[in-house]
Amino acid sequence: MAAVELPGMMGRELGTREGYRVVELYIGPQHPASGHMRLIVYLDGDRVVRVDPDIGYVHRTMEKLSEVREYVRIISLLERMTIIDACNITLPYVEAVEKLLGVEPPPRARYLRTILCEVNRIASHLYGLGIGGIFLNHSTMYMWAFGDREVFVHLASLLTGTRLTHTYPIPGGVRLDLPQVFREEFEKAKRYMLRRLREYDKVFLNNPVIRGRLEGVGVLPRSRAVALGATGPNLRASGVRYDARLLGYAAYGELDFEPVVGSEGDALERIWVRLREIEASLELIERALRQLPEGPFMSERFIRQVPPAMRKWFERGRVKLPGGYVRLKAKPGEVVGRGEMGRGEVTYYLVSSGDTKPYRLRVVTPSARNVVLFDALARGHTLMDVPAIYASIDYFPPEADR
């Protein structure tokens, strides 16, 4: 078979099938249009016949590693799956552990978890928009989104003390209380981001060149989105009103939450949904700060176990728990935890045998579900549409490989 030479890609001619000359093209696994995975694209001329996503280049065996670690120590492991969306991916796990432990977090902790989840969601969307800018050769969008993302990474560090891997929700509450400076910093961040979103619309979303690359490309009809099991903004852009936050976990049930839903289902609409979700997240954070209840941020059950001399740390807004907290024993049983990440729904299935460590832990991440869209959306389009479709899916390889 003849080799095909293309800049930055490997290919080979497969011969003729049904009268067409078919070429197999390898993109990645280290290519600007593939991320940490490889796309095997079958072409007839420059028309895409099929796309096989070749995943597994960042496989970390997190599910198996969780079987040899205590429940609390697993939190810092799981947030490595989506390091840019750490609270959203760990919160459903923490809530599942709380079901096994039979403990309820106090209302203030639920609101603080919600605030961090929305800060993470904005940072995650800005990351996806920046990467999408690279795919579409729009370097301004890449630099703006990554620069603006720092505003929300800073907010997360004010609340948790860390930039990316927060390990903030823990069974029974959160690690730190809200600092005084957070409200003022958030107000500044909100005013800035709303102004920037108008500039994003003008320079990126309504740019005629970008619209030409995205509009009518990779259309995902509503019925097909449901049949394929798409999730997150990719599902809502097709007109499906589904968001795991509607389940009311954390404090979402008390914040009158309404998801952003599109109608067209093309690449442009998927990016539009993410931009509007940034506005919605800013509104949710403001509402949560306004309704934030007074009171403890850690369950009384665990505070009582702390020696009196160490309880002064709680008054200073910090958790200082005894060593025995790490070896919490859960009652035997099976539980499911669900939550909405920046890229869609994450689901945990947790089995306890009554030990200090899980008997089994399984996780389904949004990127593991959305990977099917590469083939479903690209067929019939040109090779140049593949990066545009990738940009609109907002796929994150480590999240899928887990």
Side-chain angles (χ1 to χ4, degrees):
M1 296 178 184
V4 179
E5 293 185 7
L6 294 168
M9 303 179 189
M10 290 170 51
R12 61 175 180 162
E13 189 170 340
L14 295 182
T16 303
R17 290 182 184 172
E18 299 175 358
Y20 298 107
R21 178 190 171 209
V22 178
V23 171
E24 183 186 52
L25 188 67
Y26 291 85
I27 306 175
Q30 292 175 333
H31 185 278
S34 77
H36 300 298
M37 75 168 184
R38 180 164 62 178
L39 294 173
I40 304 171
V41 183
Y42 297 86
L43 297 165
D44 167 26
D46 72 340
R47 289 281 162 190
V48 176
V49 177
R50 198 177 87 203
V51 177
D52 290 344
D54 183 14
I55 64 174
Y57 286 89
V58 283
H59 188 45
R60 291 167 173 168
T61 67
M62 287 185 179
E63 292 167 317
K64 203 65 186 169
L65 282 172
S66 298
E67 296 170 9
V68 294
R69 294 184 181 215
E70 288 82 4
Y71 287 100
V72 176
R73 293 177 61 210
I74 291 170
I75 302 169
S76 58
L77 172 71
L78 295 176
E79 62 190 357
R80 264 72 183 172
M81 281 189 285
T82 316
I83 210 163
I84 54 175
D85 203 3
C87 191
N88 279 307
I89 201 164
T90 54
L91 181 55
Y93 165 76
V94 171
E95 291 194 338
V97 173
E98 286 172 343
K99 288 179 194 170
L100 288 172
L101 293 171
V103 63
E104 280 277 337
R108 188 174 179 85
R110 291 191 289 105
Y111 274 75
L112 291 175
R113 290 173 175 183
T114 306
I115 290 168
L116 183 59
C117 280
E118 294 310 305
V119 169
N120 277 181
R121 190 179 317 281
I122 295 170
S124 172
H125 282 348
L126 289 172
Y127 179 94
L129 290 165
I131 295 294
I134 296 176
F135 287 164
L136 296 165
N137 296 323
H138 196 289
S139 57
T140 301
M141 188 65 214
Y142 163 63
M143 290 186 284
W144 281 12
F146 270 70
D148 294 342
R149 183 172 161 267
E150 282 298 312
V151 174
F152 295 92
V153 171
H154 171 64
L155 279 180
S157 70
L158 281 178
L159 183 57
T160 68
T162 58
R163 283 169 52 82
L164 296 173
T165 51
H166 320 298
T167 319
Y168 188 63
I170 54 177
V174 294
R175 281 195 308 108
L176 296 165
D177 200 359
L178 189 79
Q180 290 290 331
V181 70
F182 187 88
R183 291 176 189 271
E184 184 186 338
E185 291 293 309
F186 169 71
E187 284 303 321
K188 285 193 285 186
K190 183 185 176 187
R191 284 196 298 272
Y192 171 78
M193 198 62 229
L194 289 177
R195 188 173 70 247
R196 290 293 270 176
L197 285 171
R198 290 195 292 274
E199 293 174 344
Y200 285 9
D201 287 345
K202 185 178 176 183
V203 172
F204 183 70
L205 197 67
N206 294 322
N207 182 320
V209 177
I210 296 299
R211 289 187 81 95
R213 296 284 307 273
L214 299 175
E215 209 162 14
V217 172
V219 176
L220 183 64
R222 177 191 172 98
S223 58
R224 189 150 169 76
V226 174
L228 289 172
T231 185
N234 297 326
L235 177 67
R236 293 190 285 276
S238 297
V240 180
R241 186 184 173 276
Y242 177 76
D243 189 311
R245 287 175 285 180
L246 292 170
L247 299 171
Y249 68 94
Y252 289 110
E254 299 155 41
L255 294 176
D256 193 22
F257 168 70
E258 187 61 33
V260 177
V261 180
S263 57
E264 300 299 323
D266 61 359
L268 185 70
E269 193 87 343
R270 287 189 282 276
I271 290 178
W272 176 85
V273 166
R274 290 187 176 89
L275 286 168
R276 300 292 77 84
E277 283 193 352
I278 292 175
E279 291 174 342
S281 292
L282 290 168
E283 181 61 33
L284 271 174
I285 296 170
E286 188 173 54
R287 216 173 292 165
L289 285 170
R290 201 164 50 236
Q291 299 179 21
L292 183 65
E294 295 295 332
F297 55 94
M298 192 68 191
S299 168
E300 289 291 340
R301 170 177 159 183
F302 295 118
I303 293 177
R304 282 197 298 270
Q305 298 172 12
V306 178
M310 290 171 61
R311 288 181 193 170
K312 62 185 179 186
W313 286 100
F314 287 99
E315 296 165 11
R316 297 175 188 174
R318 299 184 64 182
V319 163
K320 202 80 171 175
L321 292 164
Y325 179 78
V326 178
R327 296 186 58 78
L328 292 171
K329 269 192 178 181
K331 63 184 179 184
E334 303 173 357
V335 290
V336 172
R338 296 165 67 186
E340 186 75 17
M341 297 176 58
R343 292 173 179 76
E345 182 171 345
V346 57
T347 307
Y348 286 96
Y349 173 61
L350 192 58
V351 182
S352 166
S353 60
D355 199 358
T356 57
K357 302 166 186 171
Y359 176 72
R360 286 286 183 272
L361 183 147
R362 292 289 179 268
V363 53
V364 181
T365 57
S367 287
R369 291 173 60 177
N370 287 332
V371 73
V372 298
L373 299 180
F374 282 99
D375 182 51
L377 301 184
R379 289 191 183 200
H381 288 288
T382 66
L383 180 61
M384 279 303 292
D385 290 328
V386 173
I389 289 169
Y390 194 143
S392 73
I393 295 174
D394 192 17
Y395 178 78
F396 193 65
E399 183 182 288
D401 290 353
R402 60 202 186 277

